Amino acid sequence: MRRLAPALLATLLPLAAHAEEAPKTVSSVLATTTGADWRGLEPENTLVMELPSGRVVIELAPAFAPLHARNIRALAREGYFDGLAIVRVQDNYVTQWGDPKEGEPDARPIRTAESALPPEFLVKDAAALPFAAIPGPDAYAPEVGFVDGFPAARDPKTGEAWLAHCYGMVGVSRDGPESGSGAGLYAVIGHAPRHLDRNITVAGRVVQGMEHLSALPRGTGPLGFYETAEQRTPIATVKLAVDLPEAERPKFQVLKTSTPAWADYVEARRNRRDGWFVEPQNASDLCNTLPPVRPTPAG
Amino acid sequence: MRRLAPALLATLLPLAAHAEEAPKTVSSVLATTTGADWRGLEPENTLVMELPSGRVVIELAPAFAPLHARNIRALAREGYFDGLAIVRVQDNYVTQWGDPKEGEPDARPIRTAESALPPEFLVKDAAALPFAAIPGPDAYAPEVGFVDGFPAARDPKTGEAWLAHCYGMVGVSRDGPESGSGAGLYAVIGHAPRHLDRNITVAGRVVQGMEHLSALPRGTGPLGFYETAEQRTPIATVKLAVDLPEAERPKFQVLKTSTPAWADYVEARRNRRDGWFVEPQNASDLCNTLPPVRPTPAG
């Protein structure tokens, strides 16, 4: 395979700053990462939801939603979610969970956590966030990229940044203009509903076990809400990983979105070069560029 | 609500050419459509797949893939798919169906249809297609829009157009650089994998019953293939609507993508104005703008 002069390569592949060989594939980039290219989940920021079919692992995003992350931790610690249910599955949209009796007299009380919070729809001064932009254009925002593995958008004119509603992102249900409390949460299970961006608080991302949320029967009521108790999937428990015995904590790593390996990964997603593809796109939209997650290697 | 002068409104809402009132919502636009804003499905271009959980209705796209549409009709008419199975469900990607024994000595023979076809990855001269562009930008193509209800992209420089891999779009499985035959098909069940555009033949769109494909258990083998016969969902039959008795034909209509009502719909999707939203996006990407489908009204 013909080698390209480094200067020419830099022109063709500005993201692949460290590339010296021929263009790389997603597989070849991941195969050559080292331990330093990955980061583990912080047990204090990791939720573990146990469903009948298996475990859902959610990484919280306190950099974007500090009040909600703190409140969701408090809700988990008081056992708020234990025994509640998946209440809604709307095809190509969201799976939502919480108290089926929310708003009714016998709804489950919130004991230690806050029951309402101010909106955290966006970060007003995002200068301190380690925003790693990817090439655009994006249909919804002037600039898109990743902050510590979370898909985000940014407006250089206002200095604001916000999390983007990609597949697997976890948001906080709300009814009125105020934000919710985190007692009702949802995960995106379809094409990214980016029209929700900046309209609701996004608090994290499912990093493992999406299939336990995405493959559920769709609700038959309006907006995909289930209509009977029998249709709902029960939640056994939602706990913080830090509160689990060490052996039971989820052990996964997310590819860092700040390294040369990440730049190579983005470029390999933009131009698929394994044999099957005949037409590279020179494009990969934000939600098709989510960082991969792997089990933490032994040792 | 304050009325806007028509001239000002035209500036604010260039797509809503016929709007005279205040900005409209998705619901209000749909509520004011007339029968002329909708088109029925052509029975000759409509596939009906019967699964244990219910019916999946697929509209074929002969304008983009005439050879594949013809061959899929022939496959349905010879009963090729009857008794075959869903063979693969990969989360956030595709559900695929066909012969679990494909490539093996006892694979089901194709009797009347072609067993291989030339690629129909794109239309080289798209000037004759009724392309209705929507506002960009799009991450993958210079121009995007709809052709008779199908999401598509276009390159004005080359004159080419192609179908886009949005949620619910149906493509033709292939292994090598040649196209398949239609004996193996897939539907998109996650965020639009637009990197597949122009790399594979797209032959239609699921217009009803997506939940019968999207809520299936994910396959546990590589690429989401099922590993045992028991895991697969059986296909009872796949028939063309035109071959069904009149009373059994699916009766649905798709919003036409060529009318003032469509322009209003696109604008209402771009700027959600129902009370819940606080921040309209002035954006709606191609795959978030798919035309709605409704049961054909009685009479």
Side-chain angles (χ1 to χ4, degrees):
Chain A
M1 195 173 286
R2 194 162 68 90
R3 287 174 70 98
L4 296 172
L8 176 58
L9 194 67
T11 308
L12 293 173
L13 300 172
L15 277 168
H18 290 245
E20 294 179 59
E21 298 289 335
K24 298 164 179 173
T25 66
V26 170
S27 315
S28 77
V29 169
L30 292 179
T32 54
T33 56
T34 69
D37 293 318
W38 300 79
R39 64 172 177 80
L41 302 175
E42 294 282 346
E44 187 70 28
N45 280 328
T46 305
L47 278 184
V48 179
M49 175 161 60
E50 298 286 356
L51 296 178
S53 61
R55 206 176 227 205
V56 180
V57 180
I58 296 167
E59 182 174 29
L60 296 173
F64 286 87
L67 300 175
H68 286 77
R70 187 173 67 185
N71 213 49
I72 292 167
R73 284 191 207 102
L75 288 162
R77 284 200 160 119
E78 71 172 70
Y80 175 80
F81 297 102
D82 305 353
L84 295 183
I86 310 288
V87 295
R88 172 191 188 192
V89 184
Q90 185 172 356
D91 196 59
N92 193 22
Y93 200 41
V94 297
T95 289
Q96 184 176 327
W97 59 96
D99 187 354
K101 296 181 174 171
E102 186 198 346
E104 296 175 26
D106 54 346
R108 178 171 296 197
I110 294 176
R111 294 183 290 110
T112 63
E114 302 293 332
S115 57
L117 295 171
E120 293 179 313
F121 300 169
L122 51 78
V123 173
K124 282 194 189 298
D125 179 1
L129 292 179
F131 194 99
I134 64 169
D138 178 80
Y140 294 87
E143 198 174 29
V144 289
F146 291 86
V147 174
D148 288 337
F150 290 99
R154 186 165 69 169
D155 185 342
K157 283 187 191 162
T158 63
E160 297 170 345
W162 56 93
L163 290 176
H165 275 83
C166 294
Y167 191 87
M169 293 298 282
V170 174
V172 177
S173 310
R174 71 170 176 85
D175 286 325
E178 291 302 299
S179 194
S181 64
L185 295 169
Y186 63 88
V188 172
I189 61 162
H191 187 74
R194 297 279 308 279
H195 53 280
L196 299 176
D197 292 3
R198 295 182 293 161
N199 279 286
I200 198 163
T201 300
V202 183
R205 177 190 173 208
V206 176
V207 289
Q208 193 67 23
M210 262 307 290
E211 66 276 17
H212 304 301
L213 299 172
S214 60
L216 293 170
R218 277 43 182 159
T220 50
L223 304 177
F225 278 92
Y226 291 119
E227 297 176 284
T228 68
E230 294 68 38
Q231 293 173 328
R232 295 184 193 113
T233 299
I235 297 171
T237 56
V238 175
K239 293 182 190 294
L240 273 177
V242 72
D243 296 334
L244 293 172
E246 171 67 28
E248 294 175 24
R249 293 183 189 170
K251 292 172 183 67
F252 295 100
Q253 296 181 322
V254 182
L255 188 65
K256 289 181 187 170
T257 50
S258 56
T259 65
W262 170 251
D264 287 350
Y265 177 79
V266 172
E267 170 54 27
R269 299 282 295 182
R270 289 172 54 80
N271 288 294
R272 311 287 179 112
R273 292 185 172 90
D274 35 308
W276 187 88
F277 285 90
V278 295
E279 190 75 53
Q281 303 289 349
N282 201 33
S284 180
D285 72 15
L286 179 66
C287 297
N288 272 321
T289 317
L290 298 177
V293 176
R294 69 174 188 183
T296 303
Chain B
M1 193 175 288
R2 195 163 69 88
R3 287 174 68 100
L4 296 172
L8 177 57
L9 194 68
T11 309
L12 293 173
L13 300 172
L15 277 169
H18 291 245
E20 295 179 60
E21 298 288 336
K24 298 165 179 174
T25 66
V26 170
S27 315
S28 76
V29 169
L30 292 179
T32 54
T33 56
T34 68
D37 293 317
W38 300 79
R39 63 170 177 81
L41 303 175
E42 294 281 348
E44 185 71 27
N45 280 328
T46 304
L47 277 185
V48 179
M49 176 161 59
E50 298 287 355
L51 296 178
S53 61
R55 205 175 228 206
V56 180
V57 180
I58 297 167
E59 181 173 27
L60 296 174
F64 285 87
L67 300 176
H68 287 77
R70 186 174 67 185
N71 213 48
I72 291 167
R73 284 191 208 102
L75 288 162
R77 285 199 159 122
E78 71 172 68
Y80 175 80
F81 298 102
D82 305 354
L84 296 183
I86 309 288
V87 296
R88 174 191 187 192
V89 184
Q90 184 172 358
D91 196 58
N92 192 23
Y93 199 43
V94 297
T95 289
Q96 184 175 326
W97 60 95
D99 186 354
K101 296 182 175 170
E102 185 199 348
E104 296 175 25
D106 54 345
R108 178 171 296 197
I110 295 176
R111 293 183 290 112
T112 63
E114 302 292 330
S115 56
L117 295 169
E120 292 179 313
F121 300 170
L122 52 77
V123 173
K124 282 193 189 298
D125 180 0
L129 293 179
F131 194 99
I134 64 169
D138 177 79
Y140 293 88
E143 198 174 30
V144 289
F146 291 85
V147 174
D148 287 337
F150 290 98
R154 187 166 69 170
D155 185 343
K157 283 187 194 164
T158 62
E160 296 169 345
W162 56 93
L163 289 176
H165 275 82
C166 294
Y167 192 87
M169 294 297 284
V170 174
V172 177
S173 311
R174 70 169 176 87
D175 287 323
E178 291 302 300
S179 195
S181 64
L185 295 168
Y186 63 89
V188 172
I189 61 163
H191 186 74
R194 298 278 308 279
H195 52 280
L196 297 178
D197 292 3
R198 293 183 294 161
N199 279 284
I200 198 163
T201 300
V202 182
R205 177 191 173 207
V206 176
V207 290
Q208 192 68 23
M210 260 310 287
E211 66 275 18
H212 304 301
L213 298 173
S214 60
L216 294 170
R218 277 44 182 158
T220 50
L223 304 176
F225 278 91
Y226 291 120
E227 297 176 283
T228 67
E230 294 67 38
Q231 293 172 328
R232 296 185 193 113
T233 299
I235 297 170
T237 56
V238 175
K239 293 183 190 292
L240 273 177
V242 71
D243 296 333
L244 292 173
E246 170 68 28
E248 292 175 28
R249 293 183 188 170
K251 293 174 184 64
F252 295 99
Q253 296 180 323
V254 182
L255 188 65
K256 289 181 187 171
T257 50
S258 55
T259 65
W262 170 250
D264 288 351
Y265 178 80
V266 172
E267 170 53 27
R269 299 282 297 181
R270 290 173 53 81
N271 289 295
R272 310 287 180 113
R273 290 184 174 90
D274 36 307
W276 186 89
F277 285 90
V278 295
E279 190 75 53
Q281 303 289 349
N282 200 33
S284 181
D285 71 15
L286 178 66
C287 297
N288 273 319
T289 318
L290 299 177
V293 175
R294 71 174 186 183
T296 303

